[in-house]
Structure formats: C-alpha cells, structure tokens
Amino acid sequence: MKTYIYPENLRASVKLWFWSIRDLIIICAGIVLSVIVLVNLWNIIPFAVTACYAFVTVRADDMSIMDYLFNAVKFFVTSQQLYFGGKVK
C-alpha cells in the first residue's frame, strides 16, 4: 500500500524554483522577446525590465515583493483609512 502526501489538500499554488508557473512563463517570454529586441535593435532595456520583474516576483513563504508593494499601495493610497479620536487617559 502506497501513501501519497499532497500539499495542503491540493490547494497550494504550483511553483517551479522560486516563481509561480504564471510568473515563470512571463519571465521566459520576456527573455525571448528581449533577445529578439537585442539582436535587431541593440537595445538592452527589455532585459532590464525582465530582470526587474523576475526579482520582484520571487516567492518566499507565499509572499513576493510585488505582493508586498500591491498591499502597501492598497493600504496607503487606494483604501480609506478610518481614524477614531478619543480621550487619552
């Protein structure tokens, strides 16, 4: 009898190395497009954009830098903050 252990009852996101599959596909497509642009136009900017995207999407403990930035913008810019003043004893 074999015992199979599934992560979090199959609710865990699929990861490959340090990225989710969606991010890895975007990074690979960015690298391919960056090579095409570099060969034809001698422009390195797409490589820099792809490298920045790869850096901010690295996942550690189900959190990435991009998630942190989205949450920070949501907290400080887009969501309403409520402050209730009261007597300080």
Side-chain angles (χ1 to χ4, degrees):
M1 182 164 149
K2 291 184 179 181
T3 302
Y4 297 100
I5 300 172
Y6 296 108
E8 299 175 20
N9 295 327
L10 296 177
R11 291 192 184 113
S13 63
V14 179
K15 288 175 50 174
L16 186 61
W17 297 307
F18 295 112
W19 295 277
S20 66
I21 294 296
R22 181 184 64 94
D23 292 335
L24 193 65
I25 291 171
I26 292 171
I27 291 167
C28 290
I31 290 172
V32 169
L33 290 175
S34 297
V35 168
I36 291 170
V37 169
L38 182 67
V39 168
N40 291 326
L41 302 175
W42 289 94
N43 192 351
I44 201 160
I45 293 174
F47 269 119
V49 171
T50 303
C52 288
Y53 182 79
F55 177 72
V56 299
T57 56
V58 169
R59 293 214 167 264
D61 297 331
D62 272 345
M63 188 72 168
S64 69
I65 297 171
M66 186 175 285
D67 294 337
Y68 180 77
L69 292 174
F70 282 145
N71 289 336
V73 168
K74 183 178 162 185
F75 181 78
F76 289 113
V77 178
T78 61
S79 65
Q80 182 179 0
Q81 303 297 315
L82 298 175
Y83 298 100
F84 297 106
K87 291 184 180 180
V88 178
K89 294 182 182 183

